[in-house]
Structure formats: C-alpha cells, structure tokens
Amino acid sequence: GQNIDQPTEMTATEGAIVQINCTYQTSGFNGLFWYQQHAGEAPTFLSYNVLDGLEEKGRFSSFLSRSKGYSYLLLKELQMKDSASYLCAAMDSNYQLIWGAGTKLIIKP
Amino acid sequence: GAVVSQHPSWVICKSGTSVKIECRSLDFQATTMFWYRQFPKQSLMLMATSNEGSKATYEQGVEKDKFLINHASLTLSTLTVTSAHPEDSSFYICSARATGEAISPLHFGNGTRLTVT
C-alpha cells in the first residue's frame, strides 16, 4: 500500500534550526512536495523535489533520497510565524498526491 | 502566481439544508480540481477529483449523491453538500492544477469552514 510517515509534533526554539523528516512508500514516484498549513488556513506550497539532493529556498531547504524513500524539510533561523503544520506529500505514478498526516511545529521564544 | 478562489469562507446552515461551495482558478485553466475535507487536528482527506466536462471521481467511502460535484468549465468547480448533517461540519478545501501540468504544485483555495447546526 501507499504510505507517508512524519512525526506528529515537534518543538523548537526561536532562532534555531529544525528538521522535519518524512518517509514514503508509493506506487511509482513523481516527486515529493512540502506544504505549510497554519491553523484554520489552507496549505501553501513550500518545495518540490524529484531528484536526489538538497533544494534550498531561503530559510527553508528540502532534501530527497529516492533510494531510501526519505525526505526532510529543514527550517533555519526559526521565527514565531513558522509555527504551523508541515505536510509531506508524495506523488505516485498516477500523479496522485499521497498526503502525510502533517507535523505540527511549535516554536518557543 | 496561480490563484484559486474559494467561496464562501465560512457558512453556517441548518441540518437538512444544502450548501454549495465554489472553487475558481482565477488566472489559469484547471482541467482537474480536487476537493479535500479536513477535520480538526487531522490531515487532508481527498474526497473527490473533479474533471472538467466529465463525472467526478470519488474516493472510497465518500457518498457521491451527498457530495455533488460539478466542473462545468475550466475555471470553476462546485461542491454541493446535500442534506447536511452536523457530522458534515468540517473544513472543505479545493485545489487545482494547471491544465497540462501533471507534475506541478497544487494551488489551494482558502477553504470553507462549514458548520451544520
């Protein structure tokens, strides 16, 4: 079956760095997406990886290892506004997104 | 950037009534739109895939006669919750992908919070 695993909740300190991991199992693979979702709002797109390696975009970076079925989202210089849920989603061979349950990130001063 | 407009943002209705939610892609054409439901503290659950000019594809366990989907144009899909009940209270979110771009980020509407009393 198809499955996405990510931690339910993480806590980090303002100004620090946090890494949110995601493992996936899909029928075929067409890339891995990360979305940010603030409470009561719709998700917003953060990053997309389809090749192995690190994609950097400002304070946020995303890494993919296709052989390991593994990705992580790295957030640097954490700000209070980064408190949100982070959703990992893998696209299968039918271009369908398989969503993880999301990781709630709590930032403390 | 690609914008998806969803309306209304929130709605309160009485049990037994129907509610229509609209999802529009404002600056791109979307052959395919997706309808999600999200209960508090849970992840997105795909309800159905809406295809322009054809019938929607519903996920297992989603009643197609209760959640009516119409995708009459390349920029508009509607979800109608018929005979709503309190257990239908949830956050409904639509998303769209630009036509011809199978591998591209989904653009989400701002969601509709439905409360059935």
Side-chain angles (χ1 to χ4, degrees), chain B:
Chain B
V3 178
V4 175
S5 174
Q6 186 172 341
H7 177 81
S9 300
W10 60 271
V11 58
I12 302 172
C13 70
K14 293 187 176 180
S15 186
T17 60
S18 296
V19 173
K20 179 185 282 188
I21 303 170
E22 290 188 350
C23 181
R24 293 179 185 272
S25 56
L26 296 186
D27 50 0
F28 66 100
Q29 294 186 332
T31 306
T32 304
M33 293 186 176
F34 303 89
W35 288 96
Y36 291 88
R37 181 168 52 184
Q38 187 175 35
F39 292 104
K41 299 184 180 181
Q42 295 186 23
S43 188
L44 298 172
M45 290 177 53
L46 180 64
M47 298 176 66
T49 301
S50 168
N51 302 295
E52 186 268 335
S54 63
K55 292 183 178 180
T57 304
Y58 289 82
E59 295 299 303
Q60 192 172 7
V62 178
E63 300 174 57
K64 63 180 181 181
D65 294 330
K66 179 172 180 60
F67 299 98
L68 301 179
I69 291 174
N70 184 284
H71 194 156
S73 77
L74 287 172
T75 59
L76 174 63
S77 176
T78 61
L79 168 69
T80 301
V81 183
T82 62
S83 186
H85 289 97
E87 56 264 32
D88 298 324
S89 298
S90 187
F91 191 47
Y92 293 84
I93 313 173
C94 75
S95 66
R97 181 177 290 134
T99 299
E101 297 181 10
I103 302 178
S104 66
L106 288 180
H107 306 288
F108 285 87
N110 287 328
T112 298
R113 186 159 304 281
L114 171 63
T115 302
V116 184
T117 61

Side-chain angles (χ1 to χ4, degrees), chain A residues 4-105:
Chain A
I4 305 284
D5 282 319
Q6 53 181 130
T8 304
E9 186 174 296
M10 300 182 70
T11 302
T13 304
E14 189 177 16
I17 299 173
V18 71
Q19 177 175 312
I20 303 174
N21 296 324
C22 170
T23 58
Y24 64 89
Q25 289 179 307
T26 55
S27 301
F29 180 73
N30 276 306
L32 193 292
F33 295 82
W34 283 96
Y35 283 82
Q36 180 191 60
Q37 185 179 25
H38 285 100
E41 298 180 11
T44 55
F45 169 72
L46 289 179
S47 68
Y48 170 68
N49 295 67
V50 67
L51 300 177
D52 286 353
L54 187 68
E55 294 278 345
E56 297 186 74
K57 201 184 281 187
R59 293 190 299 115
F60 293 5
S61 302
S62 56
F63 172 83
L64 176 67
S65 168
R66 294 178 64 139
S67 62
K68 296 182 179 178
Y70 166 71
S71 173
Y72 67 72
L73 180 69
L74 190 71
L75 292 75
K76 303 177 184 177
E77 302 170 15
L78 286 170
Q79 302 175 8
M80 297 303 292
K81 67 178 182 180
D82 297 330
S83 292
S85 285
Y86 291 85
L87 307 175
C88 170
M91 180 175 280
D92 67 13
S93 57
N94 292 321
Y95 305 107
Q96 298 298 314
L97 281 178
I98 313 302
W99 292 89
T103 298
K104 182 178 180 181
L105 177 62

